[in-house]
Amino acid sequence: LLSSLIDSAVDWVASVVNMFAMRQALVPPDRDHRFGHGKAEGLGAMAQAAFISGSALLLLVEAGQRLFRPQPLEHESVAVGVMLLSIVASAALVLYQRRVARQTGSLLVQADFLHYLGDLLANMGVVVAIVISSRTAATWVDPVFALLAGLIVLRSAVQVGRKAVDQLMDRELAEEVRAEVLRVAMAVDGVLGVHDLRTRAAGPTSFVQLHLELDGRLSLNRAHAIADAADAALREAFPDADILIHQDPVQVS
């Protein structure tokens, strides 16, 4: 129960940080930030990973001490009632966050979803530990479950941190996304090939840069029209993407 309290207290702080990071990430591009402010999401996710790691380490230390100095549980029914209420609230939040994460692709929402999913599983373990410890002489059950909960929370922190680093370091989008970009671009009439495809994400915005291979005998107007058609097709497939297309002439035999 203490482990859940520690984690929930840190959750509150992390959620406040996330709110401000999300608001900053949604600020439109300006003179000093031509690519927008989307990486505020990555910074917020890194802060959340740090908060989660701190709570997990604190929990592991406390559980380790309790494992060697076990203490009998008191007021078990009150503890179970509190945890059941927490489980219901966490389950509702997780379901809502999963839907929002799928709709928006937000790194912060995905990070929060993973975190609260881990909390939900850990809270179920807390109930099991309280029941077993209160009805048997196995005082080791409570700290062991707390250790497992700490490891689950720490795993969530690693997942959140890895995704944040990927975004801050401009990691390429998933291979299936890149393959879809190539497919859409190649399907445009007049496009002979695509090369130098570069992709990255910053908050809710994806950035796609590519070179179109066009018949070198085309007029500038015709080449521009083909590039516009490719741009429109890509924007339809990826409505939240920032598209930059360069046209390269190639020799056609």
Side-chain angles (χ1 to χ4, degrees):
L1 191 59
L2 176 62
S3 71
S4 182
L5 172 62
I6 293 172
D7 190 46
S8 296
V10 175
D11 288 349
W12 186 86
V13 177
S15 294
V16 172
V17 172
N18 287 348
M19 181 181 69
F20 285 105
M22 183 73 72
R23 291 185 62 182
Q24 183 65 24
L26 294 175
V27 173
D30 55 34
R31 181 177 179 180
D32 295 324
H33 304 87
R34 296 297 179 91
F35 292 96
H37 301 76
K39 287 195 175 181
E41 276 205 24
L43 294 174
M46 284 294 292
Q48 187 184 68
F51 283 128
I52 298 172
S53 297
S55 65
L57 292 176
L58 180 61
L59 171 57
L60 291 174
V61 170
E62 181 68 22
Q65 292 177 348
R66 189 67 64 87
L67 185 63
F68 293 102
R69 293 196 299 272
Q71 299 180 17
L73 301 183
E74 299 178 355
H75 308 293
E76 297 87 354
S77 58
V78 176
V80 170
V82 170
M83 290 312 303
L84 290 178
L85 180 62
S86 176
I87 287 172
V88 172
S90 297
L93 179 60
V94 164
L95 291 174
Y96 181 68
Q97 285 182 321
R98 183 176 65 174
R99 187 178 70 179
V100 174
R102 288 177 176 177
Q103 290 175 345
T104 65
S106 169
L107 176 62
L108 277 178
V109 178
Q110 291 176 7
D112 249 10
F113 166 72
L114 288 174
H115 183 195
Y116 283 108
L117 180 60
D119 289 352
L120 179 61
L121 298 176
N123 288 344
M124 292 178 179
V126 170
V127 173
V128 174
I130 292 174
V131 172
I132 294 177
S133 297
S134 62
R135 297 188 178 184
T136 68
T139 56
W140 55 268
V141 173
D142 184 51
V144 166
F145 269 81
L147 286 172
L148 292 176
L151 293 176
I152 291 174
V153 174
L154 190 60
R155 179 175 176 270
S156 297
V158 172
Q159 291 177 326
V160 171
R162 183 182 295 119
K163 289 188 175 183
V165 169
D166 285 346
Q167 186 171 116
L168 293 173
M169 295 298 292
D170 290 333
R171 184 182 178 89
E172 288 282 347
L173 299 182
E175 282 302 319
E176 54 268 25
V177 176
R178 289 172 51 83
E180 181 65 10
V181 170
L182 294 174
R183 187 195 68 78
V184 171
M186 287 295 299
V188 175
D189 186 36
V191 175
L192 304 179
V194 179
H195 64 271
D196 284 352
L197 171 62
R198 297 181 181 183
T199 62
R200 64 185 179 92
T205 304
S206 298
F207 293 86
V208 177
Q209 301 178 14
L210 53 87
H211 288 217
L212 293 183
E213 298 174 6
L214 306 177
D215 188 341
R217 298 170 296 182
L218 295 176
S219 67
L220 179 58
N221 284 338
R222 178 56 183 157
H224 187 266
I226 295 174
D228 279 350
D231 181 87
L234 288 169
R235 290 183 187 279
E236 182 178 357
F238 305 96
D240 295 324
D242 185 294
I243 312 294
L244 180 62
I245 295 177
H246 177 76
Q247 301 121 42
D248 279 343
V250 296
Q251 296 293 331
V252 178
S253 56

